[in-house]
């Protein structure tokens, strides 16, 4: 049961900007742990999209950006494209009773 | 080319055991942390276990609560291979199991996972 909450779905028209929130608490994001984001196109393997809150691995378009503030983080996609239709997951670390790496609940992005 | 290839997934009865393997290639495996991540059908991602890198013979490992005492992660650096021994399996363990490479230069709590295998399917059913 994840302690990082994401909206189940977001949608936007091609070219629009969409944001996905990742809401945590003082034992994970609020404790200063980095947040990472993954993209999983249906039927494929998860792909690292953003690491260390706001860094893009080589090859990831600059349409994708990450940010973090307080106990939450966000992923923004600008200039939405059909190929961006996928599930997106945030990931961080939780230092509560059962300390371990955790994924968010996941958000499905639909391009209208 | 960097690559991770999982194997060992199968249909197993409740209470049974299974051993997954993940063969790494194209990068220096020894000092890299590795992880197992699972995804139940139409569900989200769950990190199962992480093992730190190093020359051994012992390696620090962490587990999600839902597998503690049942699963054991290990690695053989001489074979560039990661393992997951799974015991006392139940239907809730049915999932695609992915092997993933840890990424990070600082504290391990800030690691991400930058390379994933294609996964191996574990089905627990009678």
């Amino acid at each position: 049961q994840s302690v990082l909450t994401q909206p189940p779905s977001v949608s936007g028209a091609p070219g629009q900007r969409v944001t996905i929130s990742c809401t945590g608490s003082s034992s994970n994001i609020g404790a200063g742990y980095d947040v990472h984001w993954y993209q999983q196109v249906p039927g494929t393997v998860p792909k690292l999209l953003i690491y260390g809150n706001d860094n893009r691995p080589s090859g990831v378009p600059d349409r994708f950006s990450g940010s973090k503030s307080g106990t939450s983080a966000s992923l923004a996609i600008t200039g939405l494209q059909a190929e961006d239709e996928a599930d997106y997951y945030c990931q961080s670390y939780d230092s509560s009773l059962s300390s371990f790496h955790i994924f968010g609940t996941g958000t499905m992005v639909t391009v209208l | 080319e960097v690559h991770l290839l999982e194997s060992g997934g199968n249909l197993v009865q409740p209470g049974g055991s299974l051993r997954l393997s993940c063969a790494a290639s194209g990068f220096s495996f020894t000092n890299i942390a590795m992880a197992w991540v699972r995804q139940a059908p139409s569900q989200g991602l769950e990190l199962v276990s992480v093992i730190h890198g190093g020359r051994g013979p012992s390696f620090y490992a962490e587990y999600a609560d839902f597998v503690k005492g049942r699963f054991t992660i290990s690695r053989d650096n001489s074979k560039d291979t990661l393992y997951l021994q799974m015991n006392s399996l139940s239907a809730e363990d049915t999932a695609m199991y992915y092997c993933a490479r840890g990424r990070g230069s600082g504290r391990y709590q800030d690691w991400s996972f930058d390379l994933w295998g294609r996964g191996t399917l574990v089905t627990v059913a009678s």
Side-chain angles (χ1 to χ4, degrees):
Chain A
Q1 194 163 354
S2 178
V3 294
L4 298 180
T5 303
Q6 301 178 229
S9 63
V10 299
S11 61
Q16 283 191 330
R17 179 179 187 270
V18 297
T19 62
I20 301 170
S21 60
C22 174
T23 303
S25 67
S26 59
S27 65
N28 41 70
I29 299 175
Y33 298 120
D34 282 353
V35 178
H36 321 289
W37 291 89
Y38 300 83
Q39 176 194 59
Q40 186 177 29
V41 175
T44 70
V45 173
K47 168 189 170 184
L48 180 64
L49 200 63
I50 298 287
Y51 68 93
N53 306 314
D54 56 6
N55 299 287
R56 286 185 305 277
S58 174
V60 173
D62 59 7
R63 302 185 292 104
F64 296 93
S65 62
S67 63
K68 174 184 146 183
S69 178
T71 58
S72 296
S74 291
L75 174 71
I77 310 174
T78 57
L80 195 64
Q81 299 183 4
E83 66 202 53
D84 300 333
E85 191 158 284
D87 293 320
Y88 293 82
Y89 296 90
C90 59
Q91 178 238 317
S92 187
Y93 189 91
D94 190 89
S95 60
S96 61
L97 192 61
S98 304
S99 298
F100 200 50
H101 303 269
I102 51 175
F103 284 98
T105 51
T107 299
M108 180 184 299
V109 170
T110 301
V111 182
L112 301 172
Chain B
E1 182 184 1
V2 292
H3 196 60
L4 296 171
L5 182 62
E6 302 93 336
S7 60
N10 210 335
L11 171 65
V12 60
Q13 291 189 337
S17 297
L18 212 53
R19 189 198 199 199
L20 306 183
S21 299
C22 170
S25 59
F27 65 95
S28 180
F29 180 79
T30 298
N31 293 314
I32 300 293
M34 298 294 296
W36 288 99
V37 180
R38 74 182 187 183
Q39 186 170 34
S42 301
Q43 299 298 309
L45 301 172
E46 288 186 309
L47 215 136
V48 173
S49 184
V50 176
I51 187 168
H52 292 217
R55 301 217 171 265
S58 63
F59 305 94
Y60 181 73
E62 292 182 289
Y63 299 90
D65 276 353
F66 52 80
V67 302
K68 278 181 182 175
R70 300 190 300 125
F71 290 11
T72 302
I73 192 172
S74 62
R75 63 192 298 159
D76 185 339
N77 288 342
S78 69
K79 297 181 179 178
D80 289 349
T81 302
L82 176 73
Y83 302 100
L84 185 68
Q85 176 67 42
M86 303 187 296
N87 299 329
S88 302
L89 287 162
S90 69
E92 289 70 35
D93 296 314
T94 293
M96 183 70 78
Y97 284 74
Y98 297 103
C99 167
R101 182 178 70 177
R103 174 199 180 118
S105 56
R107 59 181 179 178
Y108 74 94
Q109 292 95 335
D110 290 330
W111 291 347
S112 58
F113 302 96
D114 68 342
L115 177 68
W116 296 62
R118 296 180 63 85
T120 187
L121 183 62
V122 173
T123 304
V124 185
S126 53

